[in-house]
Amino acid sequence: MTVPSPDFVSLRGRRFALTDFGGPGTPVLALHGHFGRGRMYAPLAAALGPAYRVIALDQRGHGLTGGGGPFTLDEYVADAAALLDELRHGPVPVVAHSTGAVAAYALAARHPELVSALVVEDIGAVTDRPVVAHPVLDVSGWPTWAADREALRAQIESRGIHDASYFLDSAEPDRATGGWRLLFEPAHMMASQEAMRGDFWSEWLGSACPALLMHGEHSSLLPPGHAREMARRRPRTTLREFAGCGHWIHDDAPKEYAWAVGRFLDSLPADDA
């Protein structure tokens, strides 16, 4: 699958990378979660085109976006709002995964003029104990470089990761050394995960736009009871549960994931699309 080269834009004094998958359709902002990058949305963009144009941001501390923190919900929200202002897009649907989805629903609450609809992939209104038993993945001792991609995979999987493919999407050849390196710094990811633990019910309930909440049956970050409570308490929210999937629904069931997103976007009233 061909992925467009990233564009770069200056937002709030920082150089951000974004992948604009192009096309004539309705713009859709996509926000990845921890350890990710915008290009992960290539399969979804291909499935949704040409009706929808996916624009995916490399969030601070991730991908090809420069600099590190601070890592707080306020900063993530302000970055996304600045991007939509810069691109003069809004209101738009926002499709997001994990911690990126916390930023998405907080963006909708704080800037309703920018968000017309939400697709929230497998994250709760509470991202800390006791709702989430293990809210932080300890990557503090992870390698950031190896001689080749498979060696980097082996080193990560030796830390107890069953399949490192998601993390390797954020790895690239290191031209200076000839090896492969991760694009994120483990210390930054630890700081961001700690900062994004919390109770975010006020943000989840703070918007009125249509929302699709996706829950993986075997998710470690969104218990089924919590997902149902989120859908029950927030008007205009549809819960879709994905059997056999974990936290990364877009990887575990890519066709079903893309179909569900597309069907939801197609169902939006003209004023919300």
Side-chain angles (χ1 to χ4, degrees), residues 130-150:
V131 172
V132 180
H134 303 287
V136 173
L137 174 63
D138 186 358
V139 298
S140 55
W142 277 25
T144 58
W145 181 93
D148 56 44
R149 190 174 188 272
E150 289 311 304

Side-chain angles (χ1 to χ4, degrees), residues 37-216:
R37 63 192 298 196
R39 63 177 290 155
M40 64 167 269
Y41 284 100
L44 179 65
L48 295 181
Y52 300 97
R53 170 190 172 191
V54 175
I55 301 171
L57 180 67
D58 283 9
Q59 301 205 74
R60 59 176 53 218
H62 295 78
L64 297 178
T65 289
F71 299 105
T72 66
L73 179 59
D74 289 348
E75 295 294 339
Y76 283 125
V77 170
D79 293 342
L83 175 63
L84 291 175
D85 285 340
E86 175 70 18
L87 298 179
R88 298 184 181 180
H89 290 323
V92 300
V94 182
V95 176
H97 174 237
S98 194
T99 301
V102 178
Y105 65 66
L107 176 69
R110 301 179 190 185
H111 299 279
E113 76 282 1
L114 296 178
V115 180
S116 60
L118 290 166
V119 176
V120 171
E121 182 189 354
D122 207 71
I123 200 68
V126 179
T127 60
D128 203 356
R129 297 183 181 95
V131 172
V132 180
H134 303 287
V136 173
L137 174 63
D138 186 358
V139 298
S140 55
W142 277 25
T144 58
W145 181 93
D148 56 44
R149 190 174 188 272
E150 289 311 304
L152 187 57
R153 174 190 293 277
Q155 290 189 40
I156 293 173
E157 292 180 353
S158 73
R159 267 68 178 180
I161 301 299
H162 175 69
D163 182 353
S165 297
Y166 172 76
F167 304 97
L168 290 175
D169 284 343
S170 290
E172 289 195 345
D174 188 342
R175 295 179 182 177
T177 65
W180 276 71
R181 65 183 179 90
L182 291 175
L183 295 176
F184 57 79
E185 291 289 339
H188 293 167
M189 295 300 96
M190 293 300 294
S192 184
Q193 289 182 92
E194 290 291 348
M196 295 297 286
R197 293 168 59 174
D199 183 326
F200 301 112
W201 272 113
S202 61
E203 285 81 6
W204 171 245
L205 299 175
S207 63
C209 62
L212 173 62
L213 175 61
M214 297 175 150
H215 168 243

Side-chain angles (χ1 to χ4, degrees), residues 1-4 21 37-49 54 169 250-251 253-255 257-259:
M1 181 178 300
T2 302
V3 180
F21 292 93
R37 63 192 298 196
R39 63 177 290 155
M40 64 167 269
Y41 284 100
L44 179 65
L48 295 181
V54 175
D169 284 343
H250 61 272
D251 283 336
K255 291 182 179 179
Y257 164 80
W259 181 85

